[in-house]
Amino acid sequence: MTSPLVIDARNISKSYGKGSSTFHALKDVTLQVAPGESVAIVGKSGSGKSTLMHIIALLDTPDSGSLSFNGRDALALPPKKASELRNKEFGFVFQQFFLTPETSVMDNVTLPLKIAGVSPRARRERALAVLRQFELEDKAASNANDLSGGQKQRVVISRALINEPTVIFADEPTGNLDSATGAIVEDTLFQLNRDRGITLVIVTHDEDLAARCDRQVFIRDGVVVPSGAGVAAA
Amino acid sequence: MKATDLVGSAARNTLRSKLRTTLTVLALFIGAFTLTLTTAVGAGVTDYVTKQVASLGADDVFIVTRTAGDTTEGPRAYDPKTSSASSATGGPALPGAGQSDPMTEADLEKLAGISGIFRVDPVQAVAVDFVQYNGGGQFELSVNPTSSITRADLLAGAQLSESSGTRELVLPADYVDALGFADAQDAVGAVVPLGITDVLGARHQVDGTVVGISQESLLPSGGGANPAMVSALAEAQSAGIDTGPARYPLAVAYFDPALSSAQVSDLQESVAAAGFGVQTIQDQLGVIKTVIDGIIGVLNAFAIVALVAAAFGIVNTLLMSVQERTREIGLMKAMGMRAGKIFALFSLEAAFIGFLGSLIGVAAAVLAGSALNAALSAGPLSSLPGLNILLFEPGAIMGIMLLIMAIAFISGTLPASRAARKNPIDSLRYE
Ligand SMILES: Nc1ncnc2c1ncn2[C@@H]1O[C@H](COP(=O)(O)OP(=O)(O)OP(=O)(O)O)[C@@H](O)[C@H]1O
Ligand SMILES: [Mg+2]
């Protein structure tokens, strides 16, 4: 048998609200991701992409279905273990930057390590190494607010990488950027995927970005559909 | 997250929104400032009074008077053996011992008969006209006839001797210059005449030796005299005439100094039950202390009100902060920060605000208070050496800081628990 799936989500359903106003955001969704794979979750706005990503990243719980991470039942994990897993194994890039204002780039980037309880010295070294990679070394002391959009997104990716995750979850990583900076960010993500074997789960409605991934999963109204025909937003 | 990182992050987060933190800190500052000053005044005055009491010593005496008004209905029938003339111009007395009926020999016997009382010394009232030195100016002097049972706060010389046959005097410090001595030490050993007018109007002089110079204090200043001096003065005053039944404004009753304070109050009750007004020296000072404690209590209440208002300020500030930082909280949770740590982070922010407010408030109070102390001691309170109206005790200051930090911390728990309960997804979706 080959190495187990990084993510194995089966028959995931999730609904919001109660009674007649119940809204089924995900219906019986199954998604499997192998180690080192890059997967795009594509669909129109409101189709349930972010909801699915939140569930497989253990940020949210499904109403029904099963989920395992590296062969372990992820839904049965006690909250402490789930937090630890997110802290150690996952890197997050969200739809918005989520940089803490009035706080230095250094502090923003080292947040996951701080939460993990890494010593300040080791945090700094690690952060400088990552920032160097993204040519942001000289911005380490700057206020995160004072960066350009592209720089901010690179800071966000630095933050996602600092704990050397096995999976990076990226929700519209280029949604906030112009096409040139967007391209740089894309290149960076795929380079990490290629060079370090980091698994990528990218939520997007951008067909070009989706096409660069190994595999595309199309979602329409909370259901996985076989092909992209008429699914991705124009 | 490590504890040091939590504290560091909390401190940094508080400093991120400077204006808001400043305003919240200001409210705490006022509370801390007031509380520190009022506590210091309380401590300063209490310390002073306590020292005065300690300097009085005399743990084994009661000051006994006849309780006024312990009469039967209507006017009392005159009895030359026991009755004495009431007069509102009784002799000098200890503080708190108000004017009352004089005591008679019969009273003294009754008092001495109470079990537990070793000895009763009547206090003779003497009205000295003046004191003089070396033919210089004459100055009024009131002589405290009970001074030999207490210990004076001495600048120079020695305490009065109760048993000595020599006529001894203790003069207050401000007589040193007036009488023409070089300094307090110079006055010790000098023989000074006291002028006194007898009941027939004739003037007499009685010499006494100055054995000590006392510091001025809250307690009645005035000179002290030992029993030998007092009786010499009393003799001169009476002009050798039997002026009827002996009358004393008060008497000093001695008991076993080894008695416990409970036993002392039992004894005190039995003396009071026998129809006497009875006070220990501590009782007399207790009145002063009660008044001071009352004033300090009112001032402290104001400080507490300020702190309660400040507590609501903290709740408000942090609730706003939690709301504003919803996404930051969501992000931290997404990255694996546990709810408990989020709670700790926000509570610590509150405690840090408390720390800032109390530190600045206490520091400002100590600075302002020390300046005030110096000014008061040099000016209005210069006549009471040894009185520092504001006494800053490290323990009390620590206590105030801890109290304020605790208030801040408790105020922070509501916003902090709200932050800790936030669902990471809702927080991430929050606009
Ligand atoms: N807390 C919630 N309560 C009610 N409905 C919700 C909630 N969260 C999400 N939804 C609904 O679930 C559906 C899926 O939302 P989701 O955020 O997954 O969409 P998406 O595919 O990521 O869209 P976009 O591309 O615009 O980000 C939407 O219709 C949304 O309104
Ligand atoms: Mg989305």
Side-chain angles (χ1 to χ4, degrees):
Chain A
M1 209 186 129
T2 51
S3 58
L5 296 168
V6 178
I7 290 160
D8 187 359
R10 289 165 197 260
N11 312 105
I12 301 285
S13 292
K14 176 83 182 174
S15 55
Y16 293 108
K18 287 190 188 80
S20 59
S21 65
T22 307
F23 176 79
H24 296 277
L26 291 177
K27 294 166 217 158
D28 215 21
V29 172
T30 293
L31 174 70
Q32 278 141 345
V33 182
E37 211 182 0
S38 59
V39 176
I41 300 175
V42 196
K44 276 189 193 148
S45 179
S47 55
K49 307 183 296 292
S50 295
T51 306
L52 177 61
M53 189 196 97
H54 291 155
I55 288 174
I56 61 178
L58 304 182
L59 289 171
D60 206 352
T61 45
D63 297 336
S64 62
S66 68
L67 174 66
S68 50
F69 176 80
N70 276 341
R72 286 199 349 257
D73 183 356
L75 296 179
L77 286 178
K80 186 173 163 25
K81 292 279 173 215
S83 296
E84 230 172 80
L85 185 74
R86 289 202 303 275
N87 185 252
K88 301 258 177 331
E89 308 283 352
F90 296 168
F92 290 101
V93 178
F94 292 106
Q95 219 160 344
Q96 290 100 358
F97 296 125
F98 286 131
L99 290 173
T100 310
E102 308 298 330
T103 302
S104 71
V105 167
M106 174 64 76
D107 285 347
N108 268 286
V109 170
T110 53
L111 186 58
L113 297 184
K114 204 182 207 179
I115 291 170
V118 174
S119 77
R121 204 197 155 95
R123 291 202 301 253
R124 248 195 108 69
E125 273 167 23
R126 196 63 210 109
L128 285 175
V130 177
L131 288 172
R132 196 175 302 129
Q133 224 176 308
F134 293 99
E135 290 159 24
L136 284 167
E137 218 181 344
D138 53 329
K139 295 284 182 195
S142 310
N143 180 340
N145 261 359
D146 301 340
L147 301 181
S148 74
Q151 286 170 332
K152 279 182 185 164
Q153 196 66 308
R154 280 183 283 152
V155 172
V156 169
I157 294 177
S158 306
R159 182 174 64 192
L161 279 179
I162 198 159
N163 57 347
E164 301 181 313
T166 48
V167 188
I168 288 182
F169 294 96
D171 195 346
E172 309 277 11
T174 57
N176 270 328
L177 304 176
D178 62 79
S179 53
T181 7
I184 297 171
V185 169
E186 280 176 29
D187 290 346
T188 320
L189 285 173
F190 286 109
Q191 199 184 338
L192 290 165
N193 174 248
R194 238 183 300 116
D195 299 352
R196 304 202 198 160
I198 296 179
T199 307
L200 288 184
V201 176
I202 301 178
V203 168
T204 185
H205 56 251
D206 175 353
E207 284 187 40
D208 294 334
L209 173 55
R212 289 183 69 176
C213 293
D214 299 339
R215 196 152 61 87
Q216 293 79 33
V217 173
F218 298 97
I219 293 197
R220 183 166 55 199
D221 297 334
V223 184
V224 176
V225 293
S227 85
V231 168
Chain B
M1 213 176 208
K2 282 190 196 158
T4 48
D5 281 330
L6 269 177
V7 174
S9 303
R12 229 164 307 138
N13 288 343
T14 345
L15 299 177
R16 239 159 66 194
S17 47
K18 294 198 179 56
L19 181 61
R20 198 157 61 188
T21 303
T22 308
L23 290 174
T24 318
V25 162
L26 207 62
L28 283 172
F29 168 90
I30 294 167
F33 185 83
T34 319
L35 203 55
T36 309
L37 284 184
T38 52
T39 312
V41 171
V45 176
T46 306
D47 175 74
Y48 181 70
V49 171
T50 310
K51 272 190 204 151
Q52 296 292 325
V53 173
S55 78
L56 286 172
D59 286 334
D60 58 345
V61 297
F62 289 138
I63 310 294
V64 183
T65 53
R66 258 263 294 270
T67 348
D70 66 336
T71 50
T72 48
E73 298 276 305
R76 236 184 323 178
Y78 176 75
D79 171 355
K81 200 165 155 29
T82 59
S83 294
S84 59
S86 279
S87 124
T89 55
L94 274 186
Q99 307 293 5
S100 56
D101 280 346
M103 309 240 298
T104 61
E105 290 292 348
D107 289 327
L108 295 180
E109 272 164 39
K110 187 172 160 197
L111 184 56
I114 295 170
S115 83
I117 300 292
F118 285 3
R119 185 157 62 88
V120 175
D121 285 352
V123 172
Q124 287 163 304
V126 288
V128 171
D129 294 333
F130 63 84
V131 60
Q132 191 179 21
Y133 175 63
N134 213 7
Q138 299 180 337
F139 297 92
E140 288 182 13
L141 176 72
S142 67
V143 171
N144 182 346
T146 58
S147 39
S148 62
I149 59 167
T150 62
R151 270 181 288 119
D153 192 1
L154 289 179
L155 271 182
Q159 301 288 352
L160 291 167
S161 157
E162 209 182 332
S163 50
S164 166
T166 321
R167 298 196 292 264
E168 295 176 353
L169 281 173
V170 166
L171 293 179
D174 51 356
Y175 282 76
V176 169
D177 265 358
L179 292 175
F181 294 109
D183 56 25
Q185 202 54 56
D186 182 36
V188 175
V191 174
V192 295
L194 297 188
I196 191 162
T197 308
D198 71 23
V199 287
L200 300 176
R203 289 164 187 271
H204 303 270
Q205 287 204 350
V206 181
D207 285 347
T209 309
V210 178
V211 293
I213 299 296
S214 64
Q215 196 146 50
E216 289 159 78
S217 76
L218 266 186
L219 305 176
S221 40
N226 71 342
M229 183 77 206
V230 174
S231 54
L233 285 168
E235 204 179 310
Q237 190 170 254
S238 67
I241 293 172
D242 181 3
T243 51
R247 294 153 201 158
Y248 309 101
L250 43 91
V252 178
Y254 292 78
F255 53 85
D256 185 353
L259 292 186
S260 72
S261 56
Q263 287 170 313
V264 170
S265 44
D266 282 351
L267 184 57
Q268 195 171 356
E269 262 171 44
S270 57
V271 174
F276 295 102
V278 53
Q279 283 187 307
T280 61
I281 289 176
Q282 270 82 357
D283 283 343
Q284 299 186 331
L285 287 162
V287 178
I288 304 175
K289 238 189 129 233
T290 309
V291 172
I292 292 166
D293 285 349
I295 297 169
I296 302 297
V298 170
L299 292 175
N300 277 347
F302 282 121
I304 296 294
V305 168
L307 284 177
V308 169
F312 284 106
I314 291 177
V315 174
N316 189 36
T317 303
L318 277 166
L319 277 180
M320 266 161 64
S321 178
V322 167
Q323 190 68 10
E324 204 170 84
R325 285 153 62 192
T326 297
R327 286 165 48 152
E328 186 186 330
I329 295 165
L331 181 77
M332 289 192 290
K333 285 198 152 181
M335 289 178 168
M337 186 140 158
R338 304 291 316 281
K341 295 287 167 86
I342 302 261
F343 178 86
L345 182 64
F346 278 86
S347 303
L348 282 172
E349 285 186 26
F352 186 72
I353 289 176
F355 174 71
L356 280 184
S358 59
L359 185 71
I360 300 173
V362 164
V366 170
L367 282 180
S370 304
L372 194 67
N373 242 350
L376 284 177
S377 297
L381 297 179
S382 58
S383 58
L384 295 176
L387 171 61
N388 277 323
I389 192 90
L390 294 155
L391 180 70
F392 297 103
E393 293 168 322
I397 287 181
M398 289 290 288
I400 291 169
M401 288 191 67
L402 286 179
L403 171 77
I404 291 175
M405 282 172 70
I407 290 175
F409 185 86
I410 291 167
S411 318
T413 52
L414 171 73
S417 70
R418 187 166 283 197
R421 281 202 312 267
K422 276 193 187 289
N423 177 333
I425 296 305
D426 295 343
S427 306
L428 289 170
R429 284 186 190 273
Y430 181 82
E431 292 297 330

